[in-house]
Amino acid sequence: MKHISLLLFLLSLASSVLAQEVVIDTNYYAPPPVVRKKVLTADPDQNPDRRRSVNRQKTDYSPAYQLKETQTWYVSLEGGFRTDGSLLNNSFDGLFSSSSTTKSAWSALLGYTYRNSWTVETGYTYAPIHLNITIPNGSRPLIYNYQNSGYGIPLRIKRRIGSASHATNGTGFWLSAGAWLVPNGKVNTDDFRLVGYTYHNNRPRTADTIRLDNTTTTKSISGVAELGIDYSVRLSSSIEFSTYVRKYWGLGEAIRSDITYTVNSIVQPQSSITANGTGWGFGLSLRYIYGRQQEVKKPQNGHP
């Protein structure tokens, strides 16, 4: 009996020791619980001030690249008026005279512009050179008008000397200079021969027979030099409008009239009238830009 009691005591002691080794208090090693706080913030899309600040930050760091015209090609139509006159060296005491003439003129041109500063244009122009002879005849004077073929080939260079509000295009004042090649062709000659009488106040009254003989000729080729100023306005990306005033100087004779004056069959000193195209011109121009080359202009702030 004693042995059985001793055996039961040892078994109970061993089981208590095993129980102490298996049971572990995990509360000491457990991490603290995670507490998630619910915080509500304002929607940035609903905040205009924040949107403006974000946009401002984006624009501050974005380069403001611009396109700048470097070369343009255009066609142009001009229309206006031209005034030119003749040079008379002897009127025979007012027996005849020569006056200036104002007629319409037009041109069709091709042009090239470099960096909105220089322009070269050429083409075809119709601006006749005129010669006028007027002979008094009471209330109905005799008027003889002559003109060349009217065709010319101009070559013109322009330089911009000022700008308006749109400095990046052709708007502004342009100084122009150029020259024409003028094939005069054949003039529609209307040579005249006039016979008249002059009376003296002495008694008995005597009369002198006077005669005027005219011959008009043209030179095969002459030239015209010009100097002018234009003002251009860019109406759209492809259309320009301008006005111009130009001064012309003739280079060589274009038309010449030689008049022989005789009194009682005695030849007097001859007279000549020449026309070379010297005068003024003014009008309007409309250009269509059909070709354009541009470059990207770097920002001034130096950002890449």
Side-chain angles (χ1 to χ4, degrees):
M1 190 64 181
K2 293 181 180 179
H3 294 286
I4 295 173
S5 300
L6 179 61
L7 181 58
L8 294 174
F9 174 76
L10 292 174
L11 292 172
S12 62
L13 181 61
S15 62
S16 63
V17 172
L18 292 174
Q20 291 179 0
E21 292 177 357
V22 172
V23 177
I24 299 174
D25 187 8
T26 59
N27 293 332
Y28 180 79
Y29 299 99
V34 178
V35 179
R36 298 182 181 275
K37 296 182 180 180
K38 297 181 179 181
V39 179
L40 298 178
T41 59
D43 187 357
D45 294 336
Q46 301 298 324
N47 189 347
D49 295 333
R50 181 175 178 80
R51 288 201 303 269
R52 283 195 294 267
S53 62
V54 172
N55 293 333
R56 187 180 299 111
Q57 292 175 359
K58 291 181 179 179
T59 56
D60 289 342
Y61 292 97
S62 60
Y65 291 104
Q66 296 179 352
L67 293 177
K68 183 179 180 180
E69 288 182 355
T70 57
Q71 302 179 83
T72 59
W73 295 263
Y74 65 85
V75 292
S76 173
L77 289 177
E78 289 185 354
F81 295 92
R82 180 180 171 189
T83 299
D84 66 321
S86 308
L87 179 62
L88 172 64
N89 66 352
N90 186 4
S91 67
F92 299 131
D93 295 328
L95 186 60
F96 55 87
S97 62
S98 180
S99 60
S100 61
T101 303
T102 300
K103 297 291 184 178
S104 61
W106 59 271
S107 301
L109 304 168
L110 291 173
Y112 165 77
T113 300
Y114 178 72
R115 292 191 177 276
N116 288 307
S117 297
W118 291 94
T119 293
V120 178
E121 63 183 18
T122 186
Y124 171 88
T125 186
Y126 180 76
I129 297 175
H130 302 90
L131 186 148
N132 169 275
I133 300 175
T134 301
I135 301 175
N137 184 30
S139 61
R140 299 183 61 182
L142 302 176
I143 300 176
Y144 298 89
N145 292 313
Y146 304 92
Q147 70 177 44
N148 68 344
S149 62
Y151 308 128
I153 302 174
L155 177 62
R156 186 174 296 123
I157 299 176
K158 298 181 181 181
R159 167 65 176 173
R160 190 164 73 162
I161 57 175
S163 62
S165 58
H166 305 287
T168 58
N169 56 39
T171 297
F173 287 96
W174 295 76
L175 181 65
S176 67
W180 301 8
L181 179 65
V182 182
N184 293 295
K186 291 184 178 180
V187 69
N188 185 14
T189 58
D190 186 13
D191 296 338
F192 61 84
R193 177 175 295 177
L194 302 177
V195 178
Y197 302 93
T198 60
Y199 294 93
H200 299 280
N201 293 325
N202 57 345
R203 294 183 181 182
R205 295 185 63 184
T206 59
D208 293 332
T209 301
I210 63 174
R211 183 187 298 269
L212 291 177
D213 294 301
N214 170 67
T215 302
T216 302
T217 58
T218 59
K219 300 293 184 179
S220 58
I221 295 177
S222 64
V224 173
E226 67 169 54
L227 184 65
I229 188 168
D230 299 24
Y231 181 77
S232 299
V233 177
R234 181 73 63 87
L235 301 180
S236 67
S237 61
S238 300
I239 302 296
E240 282 188 356
F241 173 81
S242 69
T243 61
Y244 65 85
V245 176
R246 295 172 187 148
K247 172 63 178 176
Y248 304 109
W249 292 273
L251 303 176
E253 295 178 356
I255 309 174
R256 179 185 180 95
S257 285
D258 293 309
I259 301 176
T260 302
Y261 179 46
T262 62
V263 178
N264 297 329
S265 300
I266 300 175
V267 178
Q268 305 296 319
Q270 286 191 346
S271 175
S272 62
I273 305 174
T274 58
N276 55 17
T278 299
W280 290 87
F282 53 93
L284 307 174
S285 176
L286 189 65
R287 303 186 188 97
Y288 172 71
I289 301 173
Y290 66 87
R292 179 183 289 106
Q293 182 176 345
Q294 297 174 321
E295 67 177 1
V296 178
K297 185 179 180 182
K298 295 182 179 180
Q300 299 296 329
N301 54 13
H303 291 298

